Amino acid sequence: MTAAEIRQSFLDFFNEKQHTIVPSASLLPQSPGLLFTNAGMNPFVPYFLGTEEAPYDPPRATDTQKCIRAGGKHNDLEDVGYDTYHHTLFEMLGNWSFGDYFKTEAIAWAWELVVERWGLPADRLYATVYAPDKSKGDPGEFDQEAWDLWAELFRSKGLDPRVHIVDGNVQDNFWMMGETGPCGPCSELHVDMTPKGDSRGELVNKDSDLCIEIWNLVFIQYNAESDGSFRDLPACHVDTGMGFERVCSLIQNTKGFTDFSDKPTNYATDVFTPIFRKLEELSGKTYRDIYPEPGSDRSAFSDEMKEAIAFRVIADHLRTLSCSIADGIQPGNNGRNYVLRRILRRAVRYGRQLGFSGEKPFFGQLVGTLAAQLGDVFPELRDREASVRLTLEREESSFNETLDRGLKRFEDALPAVKDGVLGGEVTFQLYDTYGFPVDLTQLLCEERNIKVNMKRFDELMDEQKKKAQAAQKTTVVRALDIKTDALTKFVGFEEDEADVMVLEVHPQGEAMFVITDSTPFYAEMGGQSGDTGILVKGPLAHDVSAVQQIGRARAHAIPADADVKPGDSVKLRIDHRRRRPIEAHHTATHLLHWALHEVVSEDVAQQGSAVDEERLRFDFNSGAVSREQIEKIEELVNEKIFSDVSVSWKEVPYADAKKREDIMQFFGDKYGDTVRVVQIGGEAGKLDGFAMELCGGTHVGNSRAVGFFKIKSEGAIASGVRRIEAACGERAWDYLVELAGQFQEEAQTLTEKLDAANKRLSDLGEEPIIVGKMPRIMAAMLTENRDVQQINDTFGGLRRKIEELKTAGINAEKKVKKIGASAAAKQADAAIALLIEKGDAIVTVMESDASLLQELLNGLKKNQFSEAAFLVVDDGSKLHLGCYCGEAALGRGLKAGDLLRELASIAGGKGGGKPDMARGAAPERSKIAELEVAAKASLGLA
């Protein structure tokens, strides 16, 4: 079967089972916190949560979903091209039941499709079922129902279910939405790819390419409660995912399951071969399906291997870029847009390996081939083929202008590389001047077996941001020199753009300040950041980089060389993409202020605030705020946000507002005769909202526009004054994604340390210290649900897991040291008996850890050894040195401290101590022989 036939056969099969065939959702995700749609579940989350009813009759669906894993937590970018199966874009085939059928049908249909219809030999198939380890606190129960269903199917083929059904752990076979909420076990189907098909399940979930998972059936059947118990859901759901590229590889590389002599590769299928053929035509080179060994030195690859990798990278990246652009995601400088630009520039650089260049571009010429391949299943790609091609050609051309110069700058910097590390300054210059994403520079370095000084690069990036902020502030300050009696009307509460008249222009250095009769631009006041945007005159648009209030006028900073003069009619347009999150953070500040009164104290008073597009900052008088209070504040604010309440404003006489205790106002502030009251909730204009404040800033029109609210930090900034920093909308999800990544990285590091300590314990014949694994988290459901309590519970669980790993690691290390010290003492006693037998001075070298050295020195002293001894313990990474001088040696004028300092320097080390005993260390293990000779001479043994 061709790839198209395999895809269609999957969809047709489930259509026969009364599933509605659903088109793929866009790669631009609906769930917040995701860069791209990265799982088949994403489009269906509202149906699983019950927030929307599935629009299918019966409530079943089947689809092939485009997914991207590049950037953020889910990132396969660096592995693409180097192995047989990593991709940045992949298709996930799935069948879904929303409270309709469950395990019986899902398992039977999976078997029917794979074994009966496609013809996979049943003896090569293995199914996993969830088997919790209760001693480790694993959730849920053994999935006996799934085991029984699989067992019946295997027996029908004369196979032993005890061999073909494999117990799966919590990490592989249990999915949770978070600490609480919908969850359940899964069953995976694995295929034995060994030539004889006789692995008997021993390779399942062992990271072997000789046994691959092709399908995961997730059974959402429980609700995890806050007390740790699991309640059966009234309606159970099925969520399955089959990797399309993987199953194509399985079917096509085995000639329809008849020949398993070669390892399968996703790239040796007609998912990719049409693109390879087109690349061969354009480049004049031939693709070979060869792969480097895992972990091999990339600097030693042959030209043939480099070309094969380039073919695969370009084909993969073409698919990702084309499908993304067709879905409306353009390459750019921020977020998901920058991820696409990075991918594109990475592909353009690999194009150099195939002979492409600025004079010989290639990317746009591949789009037609891909559109012909995928246009039937993803019609948007065919419909927007011309636009996709134009975008790729423009981006390739733009990068080609600097790529060659950047590569030359990189080559010129190589002679100055020290200790195999490229300076952060060069990496920053390549990024800032030549447009090289940092991962592209890292790739160039890997090909030469050198590394990048990322610490210095990050420092320079931070410095650049601070300079940019300082430069913007300097521009604004200059406007204070301007004097004017002009009056500017602000129309930005309701409008994002306005046609205005220029009243005055004031050149100030590199900027020109333009004063107009009206403006939608907000100037920084009351803690709210000012707007940016453009001023349009005729066909020309000039960036407005800053806005300044001067008396009753508002001045807009544009470039000094702009042709703008008094009397001109121009259009002012704010950057609405920046204004909207500023407004959201401002409204969230009012909600936070209200919640503080509800949770902490009615006496809480604002001491300062600041809102911009990234976050809000709120200072207030109070004692310490507990974690429980913080979480309660978050719950109250999010409850109001998602209650869909209106946000409105009304101008009233200050004398009237002043009498209202339910309208927050800040004594000490100066108010005019008329003030603006912003109210949240209630009826617009009635001043009956639950939160009302005097405020001149801009706000959202409905609380739901604020988006999810999350407090990032809370702490003291002065005696009796606290500060909360928070974020909402996309910025809140970005923060949570970043926090989850930090937790994941910390947990990985702690797990590696614990595994290393446990290995040493096992080598010593001791029981390792085991920590239970985390279940899989259904992130899309967690974010779509927007339940802050559930999210806090999940992150609390992650914190507890990290503390558990820390404690286990410390205890394992202590256990290793205790056992090691005991072993070292025994080893030292045995060695001392032999060394002092002759009574001569001692020079000896041993292989062990550092604990042996101290035991040897203690043994010499305990046995009152009268001569001198120089001891070297080699632990495999450095030399641990010890010197001992007994009574006779001291009588001859020898001093341990002096001897050690002199001898340690031979191997690049140092040390010291008292005349009778001294210790040190040296890094140069190659100098052991020289060290021995010198020591014997010093102790009179030469």
Side-chain angles (χ1 to χ4, degrees), residues 77 89 115 171 181 228 412 468 502 528 628 702 759 788 795 813 880 903:
L77 180 61
L89 179 132
V115 176
Q171 190 173 29
D412 290 345
V502 176
Q528 177 176 328
E628 290 74 19
N702 184 284
K759 184 179 185 305
V788 70
F795 277 89
E813 288 286 352
H880 301 275
L903 293 169

Side-chain angles (χ1 to χ4, degrees), residues 19-66:
H19 289 63
T20 300
I21 299 177
V22 179
S24 172
S26 170
L27 285 165
L28 184 65
Q30 296 303 307
S31 293
L34 295 177
L35 283 171
F36 303 97
T37 298
N38 62 11
M41 169 187 274
N42 293 6
F44 301 113
V45 167
Y47 312 148
F48 286 125
L49 292 174
T51 56
E52 294 179 26
E53 187 174 341
Y56 319 118
D57 185 21
R60 308 172 180 181
T62 186
D63 72 338
T64 181
Q65 174 61 49
K66 295 170 292 186

Side-chain angles (χ1 to χ4, degrees), residues 853 857 871 873 878-883 900-901 904 909-913 918-922:
L853 179 62
L857 292 169
L871 312 170
V873 175
K878 65 179 177 179
L879 305 176
H880 301 275
L881 313 176
C883 193
L900 188 75
R901 276 188 289 273
K910 56 185 178 179
R919 285 190 61 167

Side-chain angles (χ1 to χ4, degrees), residues 722-884:
R722 312 291 294 182
R723 171 171 290 173
I724 283 177
E725 287 205 12
C728 56
E730 285 294 327
R731 304 310 190 274
W733 294 114
D734 290 345
Y735 165 70
L736 288 176
V737 169
E738 180 184 353
L739 188 61
Q742 291 171 359
F743 282 161
Q744 185 181 38
E745 188 174 326
E746 186 175 3
Q748 180 65 31
T749 300
L750 291 169
T751 299
E752 289 171 0
K753 290 177 69 175
L754 177 60
D755 289 345
N758 278 335
K759 184 179 185 305
R760 294 200 297 273
L761 286 173
S762 297
D763 292 343
L764 293 167
E766 295 289 326
E767 284 294 319
I769 296 177
I770 303 299
V771 173
K773 302 290 187 182
M774 282 287 288
R776 298 189 186 188
I777 300 296
M778 294 182 285
M781 286 181 69
L782 183 65
T783 55
E784 185 71 27
N785 198 36
R786 296 178 172 87
D787 185 331
V788 70
Q789 181 178 354
Q790 189 174 56
I791 289 169
N792 284 335
D793 288 345
T794 299
F795 277 89
L798 291 173
R799 287 189 185 95
R800 289 191 296 274
K801 180 60 66 177
I802 285 172
E803 287 303 314
E804 190 180 353
L805 285 167
K806 282 182 182 176
T807 301
I810 291 169
N811 290 338
E813 288 286 352
K814 284 180 179 178
K815 195 172 178 182
V816 167
K817 287 179 180 178
K818 184 176 179 181
I819 296 168
S822 175
K826 292 177 182 177
Q827 185 181 358
D829 288 343
I832 291 290
L834 293 173
L835 292 171
I836 66 175
E837 189 174 358
K838 293 183 180 179
D840 297 334
I842 299 168
V843 174
T844 189
V845 177
M846 297 183 181
E847 292 184 0
S848 185
D849 60 39
S851 61
L852 176 61
L853 179 62
Q854 190 60 52
E855 293 296 337
L856 288 169
L857 292 169
N858 292 342
L860 292 170
K861 188 171 184 178
K862 182 173 67 176
N863 284 276
Q864 297 181 345
F865 184 57
S866 63
E867 269 301 332
F870 184 73
L871 312 170
V872 180
V873 175
D874 182 358
D875 71 358
S877 61
K878 65 179 177 179
L879 305 176
H880 301 275
L881 313 176
C883 193
Y884 172 88

Side-chain angles (χ1 to χ4, degrees), residues 445-613:
C445 287
E446 285 175 2
E447 292 175 349
R448 291 156 179 83
N449 200 25
I450 58 178
K451 296 181 179 179
V452 171
N453 185 342
M454 285 302 299
K455 182 180 178 182
R456 181 58 182 151
F457 172 79
D458 291 337
E459 289 171 354
L460 291 168
M461 287 291 289
D462 288 339
E463 288 176 17
Q464 185 191 51
K465 290 176 184 176
K466 290 174 183 176
K467 287 177 183 177
Q469 291 167 354
Q472 186 175 19
K473 289 178 181 177
T474 301
T475 301
V476 174
V477 169
R478 285 176 183 157
L480 297 176
D481 299 333
I482 301 170
K483 303 295 183 184
T484 181
D485 294 322
L487 170 65
T488 304
K489 180 183 178 182
F490 179 63
V491 297
F493 290 131
E494 286 83 20
E495 305 294 338
D496 286 347
E497 63 179 62
D499 294 314
V500 304
M501 177 74 72
V502 176
L503 301 178
E504 301 175 11
V505 296
H506 298 271
Q508 295 279 314
E510 297 178 358
M512 177 191 294
F513 285 86
V514 179
I515 296 174
T516 57
D517 62 344
S518 63
T519 182
F521 281 76
Y522 189 85
E524 184 170 336
M525 289 183 292
Q528 177 176 328
S529 292
D531 285 320
T532 57
I534 57 173
L535 180 153
V536 182
K537 180 185 175 184
L540 299 178
H542 307 288
D543 288 334
V544 176
S545 59
V547 186
Q548 180 69 41
Q549 188 73 18
I550 306 170
R552 296 188 300 168
R554 197 154 291 182
H556 310 78
I558 64 175
D561 59 357
D563 180 20
V564 176
K565 59 186 181 297
D568 285 346
S569 293
V570 298
K571 184 183 289 292
L572 288 174
R573 182 182 300 138
I574 66 168
D575 181 351
H576 66 89
R577 293 170 300 181
R578 182 171 174 272
R579 166 76 84 79
R580 294 292 94 83
I582 292 175
E583 291 175 338
H585 283 117
H586 201 159
T587 303
T589 301
H590 285 215
L591 287 168
L592 170 61
H593 196 178
W594 164 78
L596 283 165
H597 278 242
E598 297 291 313
V599 176
V600 178
S601 170
E602 291 184 0
D603 297 326
V604 164
Q606 179 177 330
Q607 302 296 309
S609 70
V611 297
D612 57 30
E613 69 271 30

